[in-house]
Amino acid sequence: MTDAPRASEAPRTYDTARAGEAPRPRDAPRAYGAAPADDAPRLHGPPRAHDTTHTYDAPRTYWDTRHREGDDLASGGHIGLDRPGNEIFYAVRLGRLLTLIGDLSSPASPLFVLDAGCGKGHFARSLVRCGHHVDAFDASEEAVTHARAEGGGPRYDVSALDEWRSPWLYDVVLCVDVLFHVLDDAEWAASLRNLASLVRITGRLIVTDEDTQEPVPRGDYILHRPTAAYRRELEPLGLGHTLFRPYGFRENRVGFHVFTRTR
């Protein structure tokens, strides 16, 4: 197995494309769902899945507004919780996540982690404090600007899930509480496949969703997809479903799905 470059090596090129593929512009159109062209971004969520006229900037504007106006936890946490509630919510998820990543990191051989859809960088900074090398990106420029100002070690970039490229692979690729906000099925599948392409042999892709047998929409901006849908996309790519570990937080049914690359 070829080791991935470490943080001390040559500077990365975040927009590096796959072989034979032209680099994509940072502002290339992307669609999380659809909304009427004259529909202003709604503060309670991105455009509805059943709307039919695509406006690519509406979801991005919604998340930029939410990250700009919300505090460092609520903007990327649970909008129904107060500050103490979100403190607990983040702590519970981080604790579960660390048990899945393990304690194999050391100064001589740190784990190389990608936090996809990192928001304001809460998990990314925590993982750096635990000794890991962390790259992180988010589609919201507001969130990434805040994360960079916080510092703490991660390397940040602005990108959509299906557009981000890396010149090397990762031991662990994380995507926490992001994919069920991607309402468009084609974009969801492209995002999942792109994240899978970034996982090295024996590495893990850790994504969060409910463990359900049928699609479960919640409100007008969340769509929980069946575990079988994740497996259909990932198993042909060499990633097997290892386990599901629920958050165990109040009534929340979401948890961590772990996929391990075997080939």
Side-chain angles (χ1 to χ4, degrees), residues 97-158:
L97 184 58
L98 289 174
T99 64
L100 297 175
I101 293 176
D103 57 359
L104 299 179
S105 185
S106 71
S109 183
L111 292 178
F112 204 28
V113 181
L114 174 66
D115 185 357
C118 64
K120 291 181 176 178
H122 183 92
F123 291 123
R125 289 189 296 275
S126 297
L127 292 172
V128 168
R129 290 195 298 270
C130 291
H132 306 300
H133 287 326
V134 181
D135 289 343
F137 70 87
D138 197 275
S140 169
E141 292 188 13
E142 288 283 344
V144 171
T145 297
H146 178 96
R148 285 172 173 160
E150 289 287 327
R155 298 179 294 186
Y156 294 104
D157 195 27
V158 178

Side-chain angles (χ1 to χ4, degrees), residues 31-98:
Y32 285 78
D38 58 352
D39 201 19
R42 292 171 291 118
L43 294 182
H44 60 284
R48 292 179 173 85
H50 58 264
D51 293 334
T52 57
T53 304
H54 288 271
T55 55
Y56 299 116
D57 288 334
R60 196 185 316 175
T61 301
Y62 162 76
W63 286 107
D64 278 343
T65 300
R66 179 166 163 176
H67 284 299
R68 181 171 59 252
E69 297 181 354
D71 66 30
D72 58 330
L73 296 184
S75 63
H78 195 302
I79 59 176
L81 297 174
D82 57 12
R83 176 77 187 197
N86 267 312
E87 289 278 7
I88 299 170
F89 187 39
Y90 271 91
V92 167
R93 288 181 295 170
L94 178 61
R96 298 281 190 275
L97 184 58
L98 289 174

